[in-house]
Amino acid sequence: MIPLHAVLTSGGPVHRDQFAAMPRFLKSPAVQYLALFALIAVALFSALATPWAERLFVQPFTQLLVDICAAVLQTFDGRVQAQGDILRFSDGRGAVQVLAGCNAVEVCALLTAAILAFPGRLRDGVIGAVAGVAALQLVNLLRIISLLYLSRGSESLFEFFHHYVWDAMIGLEGLLVFFFWTRWQGRQPTKAAAKETV
């Protein structure tokens, strides 16, 4: 047994090691990445939560998604109409309303934060974030279009794809984009070194 006062006053090696380990822990690349990711993600979500962002970005962007879907579908299906944030068929059989949660903005914000926080050149990070967001939104357009046609049929099938299938696929795509991005970034130093040795 060690007297309590000895533990409190000795300042033994165990205590010094514990405090010395803290800076090493904070210097870990993984910890630094997670901290930067959290900082960027909080900044993006805080900005998106403001009224001016909702008015100047989120609503116009959601409207743009509806207009793009309508323009694409009208090339081969003249029944499709866009009315505000609603995509519908002129015969009244089937419609979808694209709300703020249906525009994949939140997933795009998370992917952007993950890519920008990853070690590498800022220019590469910006290019990767733009490409990743474009890929996510392309799949999101397919999601909206498919849900429009599913709305003409079984309501239970529509709800299943709406709440489970497509939400999971959008999230999975975000993970795949980030995975391939990190793989590509990991090869950049190797390519640069190979060029220097030639």
Side-chain angles (χ1 to χ4, degrees):
M1 298 291 291
I2 301 175
L4 179 60
H5 67 85
V7 175
L8 295 175
T9 60
S10 64
V14 174
H15 296 281
R16 287 198 295 269
D17 290 343
Q18 288 175 344
F19 286 111
M22 289 300 294
R24 290 199 299 269
F25 171 75
L26 295 176
K27 291 178 182 178
S28 166
V31 173
Q32 292 179 353
Y33 168 76
L34 289 175
L36 184 56
F37 165 74
L39 181 64
I40 297 174
V42 168
L44 289 175
F45 276 92
S46 297
L48 289 172
T50 59
W52 62 263
E54 176 72 21
R55 184 178 69 258
L56 299 177
F57 172 70
V58 176
Q59 291 180 357
F61 180 74
T62 304
Q63 179 65 59
L64 178 63
L65 293 178
V66 174
D67 293 339
I68 291 175
C69 289
V72 170
L73 293 175
Q74 285 170 358
T75 60
F76 58 87
D77 192 340
R79 300 171 300 171
V80 177
Q81 299 175 343
Q83 296 180 344
D85 59 358
I86 297 176
L87 199 63
R88 61 184 295 273
F89 289 100
S90 58
D91 60 7
R93 293 185 55 214
V96 291
Q97 183 179 17
V98 183
L99 302 174
C102 305
N103 53 22
V105 167
E106 292 84 359
V107 180
C108 289
L110 287 174
L111 179 62
T112 298
I115 290 177
L116 291 180
F118 196 80
R121 295 186 303 177
L122 179 61
R123 176 177 173 273
D124 292 341
V126 172
I127 293 174
V130 171
V133 168
L136 278 175
Q137 289 300 333
L138 179 61
V139 173
N140 194 42
L141 290 174
L142 296 175
R143 171 189 181 223
I144 295 171
I145 291 172
S146 70
L147 290 175
L148 174 65
Y149 282 92
L150 285 171
S151 70
R152 292 177 67 86
S154 169
E155 181 178 352
S156 60
L157 186 62
F158 170 86
E159 293 295 334
F160 176 74
F161 273 84
H162 182 209
H163 294 293
Y164 300 104
V165 176
W166 274 117
D167 280 357
M169 289 185 68
I170 293 290
L172 178 61
E173 188 201 3
L175 290 175
L176 288 175
V177 169
F178 180 68
F179 171 76
F180 286 114
W181 163 255
T182 57
R183 297 272 298 193
W184 181 80
Q185 276 290 88
R187 294 175 181 175
Q188 297 310 301
T190 304
K191 292 180 180 179
K195 289 180 180 179
E196 292 176 359
T197 56
V198 174

